[in-house]
Amino acid sequence: MTQVAWQGAGQREWAGTARTDASGAGSGGAIAPAGPMSPAGLADDSGAHPGTQRAQRAGEQARTGGEVILDLQHISLSFGGVKALTDISFDVCEHEVRAIIGPNGAGKSSMLNVINGVYHPQQGRIVFRGEERKQMHPTAAARQGIARTFQNIALFKGMTVLDNIMTGRNTQFRTGLFAHALWWGPARNEEMRHRQKVEEVIDFLEIQSIRKTPVGRLPYGLQKRVELARALAAEPSMLLLDEPMAGMNVEEKQDMCRFILDVNRQFGTTIVLIEHDMGVVMDISDRVVVLDYGKKIGDGTPEEVKGNPDVIKAYLGTSH
Ligand SMILES: Nc1ncnc2c1ncn2[C@@H]1O[C@H](COP(=O)(O)OP(=O)(O)OP(=O)(O)O)[C@@H](O)[C@H]1O
């Protein structure tokens, strides 16, 4: 459960502040403002938050100069009278880690759902790899190489880790059900390939020891890792992560940060993530877009966003 992490009257629950997680071992509860922005990890890199990644990346070349692969232009989305997104434009470059942050109800999940074709905006253009996208079904997005994880873990709890990850290969199947039922030539070869890929993902995410364990028996942090594994099994070129660290303790967050950056570096996967832990966001992101009440109030590198007066105002709950 998210806690209000700002101290003082009028401060709003912000997806970017530290939270007390289910295990009680999160990165903290209420954080006293310190410096221009105060959520955990922003002003103080020395504490318990998992981020040391940015320091490690200091010598790396900024990757935001990559080609734009997703261009969202003037996106507006309403549910009846509720305006979830209003005239939002931003882009995502190939190979970058792009964060979407904002308070609860700001429209972050709606935006991810627009990107992977679950929601269809009433207005705006979506250009993916140079092609304007019309009405798109999530399976079509998956075939284009867009995979996602969910805010609330969406795994088959009674199935083993291995079988859950195998479901991530569904969009890759080429031979028919009949051939698979008969375990016939091409189907057999294809399944071998799928199993090999799944084993690679299991090795990569270091979950060999739990491959036969039913997912429902795993601690929360490992379930989140299995969900990432299932998304990776689809070999996405763009990975959408909806709160990948939610409910994790510090150690689990460190592991997840490392895996996300490894995926990004080793496979070149473009990452778009929503995350509540601001320390993590500022640590691992190349660029950050900030939403508030369905509108974009900031966009830029972590440093630019941290210095943006509108973002600071929104953090302090004084802008409305
Ligand atoms: N399917 C839906 N039907 C009706 N309203 C919706 C739907 N999905 C989102 N909304 C509304 O759109 C607004 C944005 O919601 P959204 O879940 O995208 O925000 P969020 O920034 O992801 O919030 P949180 O951090 O709490 O997950 C909210 O007012 C929400 O109630």
Side-chain angles (χ1 to χ4, degrees), residues 156-164 207-219 222 226:
F156 299 103
K157 298 283 165 85
M159 281 166 48
T160 65
V161 167
L162 184 66
D163 289 342
N164 265 284
I207 47 178
Q208 300 91 335
S209 60
I210 55 163
R211 59 207 298 287
K212 294 283 172 58
T213 309
V215 160
R217 288 205 212 138
L218 296 173
L222 272 179
V226 174

PDB file of all heavy atoms in Angstrom, residues 156-164 207-219 222 226:
ATOM      1  N   PHE A 156       0.125 -17.040 -13.742  1.00  0.00           N
ATOM      2  CA  PHE A 156      -0.719 -18.182 -13.388  1.00  0.00           C
ATOM      3  C   PHE A 156      -0.124 -18.800 -12.117  1.00  0.00           C
ATOM      4  O   PHE A 156       0.900 -19.489 -12.178  1.00  0.00           O
ATOM      5  CB  PHE A 156      -0.756 -19.191 -14.533  1.00  0.00           C
ATOM      6  CG  PHE A 156      -1.316 -18.607 -15.793  1.00  0.00           C
ATOM      7  CD1 PHE A 156      -0.477 -18.225 -16.843  1.00  0.00           C
ATOM      8  CD2 PHE A 156      -2.684 -18.420 -15.945  1.00  0.00           C
ATOM      9  CE1 PHE A 156      -0.991 -17.673 -18.004  1.00  0.00           C
ATOM     10  CE2 PHE A 156      -3.214 -17.864 -17.105  1.00  0.00           C
ATOM     11  CZ  PHE A 156      -2.360 -17.492 -18.143  1.00  0.00           C
ATOM     12  N   LYS A 157      -0.760 -18.520 -10.992  1.00  0.00           N
ATOM     13  CA  LYS A 157      -0.171 -18.856  -9.693  1.00  0.00           C
ATOM     14  C   LYS A 157       0.017 -20.361  -9.470  1.00  0.00           C
ATOM     15  O   LYS A 157       0.922 -20.782  -8.762  1.00  0.00           O
ATOM     16  CB  LYS A 157      -1.024 -18.279  -8.554  1.00  0.00           C
ATOM     17  CG  LYS A 157      -1.121 -16.750  -8.575  1.00  0.00           C
ATOM     18  CD  LYS A 157       0.139 -16.114  -8.049  1.00  0.00           C
ATOM     19  CE  LYS A 157       0.246 -14.644  -8.364  1.00  0.00           C
ATOM     20  NZ  LYS A 157      -0.414 -13.751  -7.456  1.00  0.00           N
ATOM     21  N   GLY A 158      -0.851 -21.176 -10.076  1.00  0.00           N
ATOM     22  CA  GLY A 158      -0.752 -22.619  -9.864  1.00  0.00           C
ATOM     23  C   GLY A 158       0.267 -23.277 -10.793  1.00  0.00           C
ATOM     24  O   GLY A 158       0.623 -24.445 -10.608  1.00  0.00           O
ATOM     25  N   MET A 159       0.703 -22.564 -11.792  1.00  0.00           N
ATOM     26  CA  MET A 159       1.659 -23.129 -12.754  1.00  0.00           C
ATOM     27  C   MET A 159       3.094 -22.879 -12.308  1.00  0.00           C
ATOM     28  O   MET A 159       3.377 -21.931 -11.580  1.00  0.00           O
ATOM     29  CB  MET A 159       1.446 -22.511 -14.140  1.00  0.00           C
ATOM     30  CG  MET A 159       0.268 -23.127 -14.889  1.00  0.00           C
ATOM     31  SD  MET A 159      -0.256 -22.172 -16.343  1.00  0.00           S
ATOM     32  CE  MET A 159       1.235 -21.831 -17.221  1.00  0.00           C
ATOM     33  N   THR A 160       4.006 -23.711 -12.777  1.00  0.00           N
ATOM     34  CA  THR A 160       5.415 -23.540 -12.408  1.00  0.00           C
ATOM     35  C   THR A 160       5.990 -22.282 -13.063  1.00  0.00           C
ATOM     36  O   THR A 160       5.427 -21.744 -14.024  1.00  0.00           O
ATOM     37  CB  THR A 160       6.274 -24.737 -12.872  1.00  0.00           C
ATOM     38  OG1 THR A 160       6.261 -24.758 -14.297  1.00  0.00           O
ATOM     39  CG2 THR A 160       5.761 -26.047 -12.304  1.00  0.00           C
ATOM     40  N   VAL A 161       7.138 -21.893 -12.555  1.00  0.00           N
ATOM     41  CA  VAL A 161       7.867 -20.758 -13.124  1.00  0.00           C
ATOM     42  C   VAL A 161       8.133 -21.015 -14.610  1.00  0.00           C
ATOM     43  O   VAL A 161       7.883 -20.159 -15.468  1.00  0.00           O
ATOM     44  CB  VAL A 161       9.194 -20.568 -12.353  1.00  0.00           C
ATOM     45  CG1 VAL A 161      10.131 -19.631 -13.088  1.00  0.00           C
ATOM     46  CG2 VAL A 161       8.909 -20.048 -10.945  1.00  0.00           C
ATOM     47  N   LEU A 162       8.612 -22.218 -14.895  1.00  0.00           N
ATOM     48  CA  LEU A 162       8.951 -22.575 -16.273  1.00  0.00           C
ATOM     49  C   LEU A 162       7.738 -22.427 -17.202  1.00  0.00           C
ATOM     50  O   LEU A 162       7.822 -21.817 -18.280  1.00  0.00           O
ATOM     51  CB  LEU A 162       9.467 -24.022 -16.292  1.00  0.00           C
ATOM     52  CG  LEU A 162       9.960 -24.577 -17.610  1.00  0.00           C
ATOM     53  CD1 LEU A 162      11.206 -23.836 -18.067  1.00  0.00           C
ATOM     54  CD2 LEU A 162      10.274 -26.067 -17.473  1.00  0.00           C
ATOM     55  N   ASP A 163       6.606 -22.977 -16.782  1.00  0.00           N
ATOM     56  CA  ASP A 163       5.413 -22.920 -17.628  1.00  0.00           C
ATOM     57  C   ASP A 163       4.906 -21.490 -17.795  1.00  0.00           C
ATOM     58  O   ASP A 163       4.439 -21.104 -18.867  1.00  0.00           O
ATOM     59  CB  ASP A 163       4.306 -23.809 -17.051  1.00  0.00           C
ATOM     60  CG  ASP A 163       4.646 -25.286 -17.213  1.00  0.00           C
ATOM     61  OD1 ASP A 163       5.517 -25.595 -18.049  1.00  0.00           O
ATOM     62  OD2 ASP A 163       4.061 -26.119 -16.497  1.00  0.00           O
ATOM     63  N   ASN A 164       5.003 -20.709 -16.714  1.00  0.00           N
ATOM     64  CA  ASN A 164       4.594 -19.305 -16.833  1.00  0.00           C
ATOM     65  C   ASN A 164       5.460 -18.571 -17.851  1.00  0.00           C
ATOM     66  O   ASN A 164       4.957 -17.812 -18.679  1.00  0.00           O
ATOM     67  CB  ASN A 164       4.702 -18.605 -15.471  1.00  0.00           C
ATOM     68  CG  ASN A 164       3.389 -18.605 -14.714  1.00  0.00           C
ATOM     69  OD1 ASN A 164       2.478 -17.844 -15.035  1.00  0.00           O
ATOM     70  ND2 ASN A 164       3.291 -19.495 -13.734  1.00  0.00           N
ATOM     71  N   ILE A 207      17.155 -17.581 -12.023  1.00  0.00           N
ATOM     72  CA  ILE A 207      16.030 -18.218 -11.313  1.00  0.00           C
ATOM     73  C   ILE A 207      15.986 -19.722 -11.599  1.00  0.00           C
ATOM     74  O   ILE A 207      14.918 -20.332 -11.558  1.00  0.00           O
ATOM     75  CB  ILE A 207      14.676 -17.542 -11.676  1.00  0.00           C
ATOM     76  CG1 ILE A 207      14.532 -17.362 -13.186  1.00  0.00           C
ATOM     77  CG2 ILE A 207      14.509 -16.235 -10.951  1.00  0.00           C
ATOM     78  CD1 ILE A 207      13.212 -16.741 -13.612  1.00  0.00           C
ATOM     79  N   GLN A 208      17.177 -20.314 -11.853  1.00  0.00           N
ATOM     80  CA  GLN A 208      17.241 -21.753 -12.124  1.00  0.00           C
ATOM     81  C   GLN A 208      16.658 -22.562 -10.973  1.00  0.00           C
ATOM     82  O   GLN A 208      15.941 -23.542 -11.195  1.00  0.00           O
ATOM     83  CB  GLN A 208      18.693 -22.217 -12.343  1.00  0.00           C
ATOM     84  CG  GLN A 208      19.417 -21.561 -13.482  1.00  0.00           C
ATOM     85  CD  GLN A 208      20.172 -20.320 -13.026  1.00  0.00           C
ATOM     86  OE1 GLN A 208      19.828 -19.697 -12.027  1.00  0.00           O
ATOM     87  NE2 GLN A 208      21.190 -19.937 -13.785  1.00  0.00           N
ATOM     88  N   SER A 209      16.968 -22.136  -9.744  1.00  0.00           N
ATOM     89  CA  SER A 209      16.597 -22.952  -8.585  1.00  0.00           C
ATOM     90  C   SER A 209      15.091 -23.015  -8.348  1.00  0.00           C
ATOM     91  O   SER A 209      14.619 -23.862  -7.600  1.00  0.00           O
ATOM     92  CB  SER A 209      17.287 -22.419  -7.333  1.00  0.00           C
ATOM     93  OG  SER A 209      16.884 -21.092  -7.108  1.00  0.00           O
ATOM     94  N   ILE A 210      14.343 -22.119  -8.976  1.00  0.00           N
ATOM     95  CA  ILE A 210      12.889 -22.120  -8.722  1.00  0.00           C
ATOM     96  C   ILE A 210      12.106 -22.479  -9.987  1.00  0.00           C
ATOM     97  O   ILE A 210      10.896 -22.297 -10.036  1.00  0.00           O
ATOM     98  CB  ILE A 210      12.412 -20.734  -8.198  1.00  0.00           C
ATOM     99  CG1 ILE A 210      12.839 -19.612  -9.167  1.00  0.00           C
ATOM    100  CG2 ILE A 210      12.923 -20.491  -6.788  1.00  0.00           C
ATOM    101  CD1 ILE A 210      12.089 -18.328  -8.972  1.00  0.00           C
ATOM    102  N   ARG A 211      12.783 -23.007 -10.981  1.00  0.00           N
ATOM    103  CA  ARG A 211      12.120 -23.218 -12.280  1.00  0.00           C
ATOM    104  C   ARG A 211      10.924 -24.164 -12.192  1.00  0.00           C
ATOM    105  O   ARG A 211       9.965 -24.028 -12.944  1.00  0.00           O
ATOM    106  CB  ARG A 211      13.120 -23.670 -13.342  1.00  0.00           C
ATOM    107  CG  ARG A 211      13.829 -24.943 -13.021  1.00  0.00           C
ATOM    108  CD  ARG A 211      15.196 -24.984 -13.703  1.00  0.00           C
ATOM    109  NE  ARG A 211      15.113 -24.949 -15.146  1.00  0.00           N
ATOM    110  CZ  ARG A 211      14.715 -25.954 -15.893  1.00  0.00           C
ATOM    111  NH1 ARG A 211      14.365 -27.081 -15.331  1.00  0.00           N
ATOM    112  NH2 ARG A 211      14.676 -25.835 -17.193  1.00  0.00           N
ATOM    113  N   LYS A 212      10.950 -25.121 -11.259  1.00  0.00           N
ATOM    114  CA  LYS A 212       9.852 -26.079 -11.133  1.00  0.00           C
ATOM    115  C   LYS A 212       8.852 -25.697 -10.035  1.00  0.00           C
ATOM    116  O   LYS A 212       7.917 -26.437  -9.752  1.00  0.00           O
ATOM    117  CB  LYS A 212      10.420 -27.478 -10.841  1.00  0.00           C
ATOM    118  CG  LYS A 212      11.239 -28.085 -11.968  1.00  0.00           C
ATOM    119  CD  LYS A 212      10.321 -28.616 -13.056  1.00  0.00           C
ATOM    120  CE  LYS A 212      11.045 -29.068 -14.300  1.00  0.00           C
ATOM    121  NZ  LYS A 212      12.032 -30.108 -14.096  1.00  0.00           N
ATOM    122  N   THR A 213       9.066 -24.565  -9.396  1.00  0.00           N
ATOM    123  CA  THR A 213       8.201 -24.153  -8.275  1.00  0.00           C
ATOM    124  C   THR A 213       6.938 -23.457  -8.794  1.00  0.00           C
ATOM    125  O   THR A 213       7.024 -22.603  -9.677  1.00  0.00           O
ATOM    126  CB  THR A 213       8.973 -23.163  -7.356  1.00  0.00           C
ATOM    127  OG1 THR A 213      10.224 -23.730  -7.022  1.00  0.00           O
ATOM    128  CG2 THR A 213       8.177 -22.840  -6.104  1.00  0.00           C
ATOM    129  N   PRO A 214       5.770 -23.827  -8.232  1.00  0.00           N
ATOM    130  CA  PRO A 214       4.563 -23.075  -8.604  1.00  0.00           C
ATOM    131  C   PRO A 214       4.720 -21.611  -8.180  1.00  0.00           C
ATOM    132  O   PRO A 214       5.175 -21.340  -7.060  1.00  0.00           O
ATOM    133  CB  PRO A 214       3.449 -23.765  -7.809  1.00  0.00           C
ATOM    134  CG  PRO A 214       3.986 -25.109  -7.460  1.00  0.00           C
ATOM    135  CD  PRO A 214       5.471 -24.936  -7.326  1.00  0.00           C
ATOM    136  N   VAL A 215       4.355 -20.710  -9.055  1.00  0.00           N
ATOM    137  CA  VAL A 215       4.593 -19.277  -8.826  1.00  0.00           C
ATOM    138  C   VAL A 215       3.934 -18.787  -7.535  1.00  0.00           C
ATOM    139  O   VAL A 215       4.494 -17.958  -6.813  1.00  0.00           O
ATOM    140  CB  VAL A 215       4.089 -18.477 -10.057  1.00  0.00           C
ATOM    141  CG1 VAL A 215       3.855 -17.027  -9.710  1.00  0.00           C
ATOM    142  CG2 VAL A 215       5.100 -18.583 -11.179  1.00  0.00           C
ATOM    143  N   GLY A 216       2.757 -19.315  -7.224  1.00  0.00           N
ATOM    144  CA  GLY A 216       2.033 -18.872  -6.035  1.00  0.00           C
ATOM    145  C   GLY A 216       2.792 -19.113  -4.741  1.00  0.00           C
ATOM    146  O   GLY A 216       2.490 -18.489  -3.717  1.00  0.00           O
ATOM    147  N   ARG A 217       3.778 -19.996  -4.763  1.00  0.00           N
ATOM    148  CA  ARG A 217       4.540 -20.285  -3.539  1.00  0.00           C
ATOM    149  C   ARG A 217       5.752 -19.373  -3.374  1.00  0.00           C
ATOM    150  O   ARG A 217       6.462 -19.441  -2.388  1.00  0.00           O
ATOM    151  CB  ARG A 217       5.034 -21.734  -3.567  1.00  0.00           C
ATOM    152  CG  ARG A 217       3.938 -22.728  -3.357  1.00  0.00           C
ATOM    153  CD  ARG A 217       4.531 -24.011  -2.778  1.00  0.00           C
ATOM    154  NE  ARG A 217       3.758 -25.147  -3.242  1.00  0.00           N
ATOM    155  CZ  ARG A 217       4.255 -26.288  -3.654  1.00  0.00           C
ATOM    156  NH1 ARG A 217       5.563 -26.476  -3.668  1.00  0.00           N
ATOM    157  NH2 ARG A 217       3.477 -27.259  -4.048  1.00  0.00           N
ATOM    158  N   LEU A 218       6.006 -18.547  -4.357  1.00  0.00           N
ATOM    159  CA  LEU A 218       7.212 -17.706  -4.309  1.00  0.00           C
ATOM    160  C   LEU A 218       6.960 -16.398  -3.566  1.00  0.00           C
ATOM    161  O   LEU A 218       5.842 -15.863  -3.612  1.00  0.00           O
ATOM    162  CB  LEU A 218       7.667 -17.360  -5.733  1.00  0.00           C
ATOM    163  CG  LEU A 218       8.119 -18.520  -6.609  1.00  0.00           C
ATOM    164  CD1 LEU A 218       8.355 -18.027  -8.029  1.00  0.00           C
ATOM    165  CD2 LEU A 218       9.389 -19.144  -6.047  1.00  0.00           C
ATOM    166  N   PRO A 219       8.004 -15.846  -2.928  1.00  0.00           N
ATOM    167  CA  PRO A 219       7.845 -14.511  -2.353  1.00  0.00           C
ATOM    168  C   PRO A 219       7.603 -13.483  -3.462  1.00  0.00           C
ATOM    169  O   PRO A 219       7.944 -13.708  -4.627  1.00  0.00           O
ATOM    170  CB  PRO A 219       9.171 -14.257  -1.640  1.00  0.00           C
ATOM    171  CG  PRO A 219      10.124 -15.278  -2.138  1.00  0.00           C
ATOM    172  CD  PRO A 219       9.335 -16.417  -2.693  1.00  0.00           C
ATOM    173  N   LEU A 222      10.304 -12.367  -6.024  1.00  0.00           N
ATOM    174  CA  LEU A 222      10.639 -13.360  -7.054  1.00  0.00           C
ATOM    175  C   LEU A 222       9.515 -13.474  -8.092  1.00  0.00           C
ATOM    176  O   LEU A 222       9.769 -13.696  -9.272  1.00  0.00           O
ATOM    177  CB  LEU A 222      10.895 -14.725  -6.412  1.00  0.00           C
ATOM    178  CG  LEU A 222      12.332 -14.983  -5.952  1.00  0.00           C
ATOM    179  CD1 LEU A 222      12.460 -16.355  -5.320  1.00  0.00           C
ATOM    180  CD2 LEU A 222      13.317 -14.850  -7.119  1.00  0.00           C
ATOM    181  N   VAL A 226       9.803 -13.258 -12.084  1.00  0.00           N
ATOM    182  CA  VAL A 226       9.246 -14.220 -13.043  1.00  0.00           C
ATOM    183  C   VAL A 226       8.398 -13.481 -14.087  1.00  0.00           C
ATOM    184  O   VAL A 226       8.413 -13.811 -15.278  1.00  0.00           O
ATOM    185  CB  VAL A 226       8.398 -15.294 -12.321  1.00  0.00           C
ATOM    186  CG1 VAL A 226       7.707 -16.214 -13.314  1.00  0.00           C
ATOM    187  CG2 VAL A 226       9.273 -16.106 -11.369  1.00  0.00           C
TER     188      VAL A 226
END
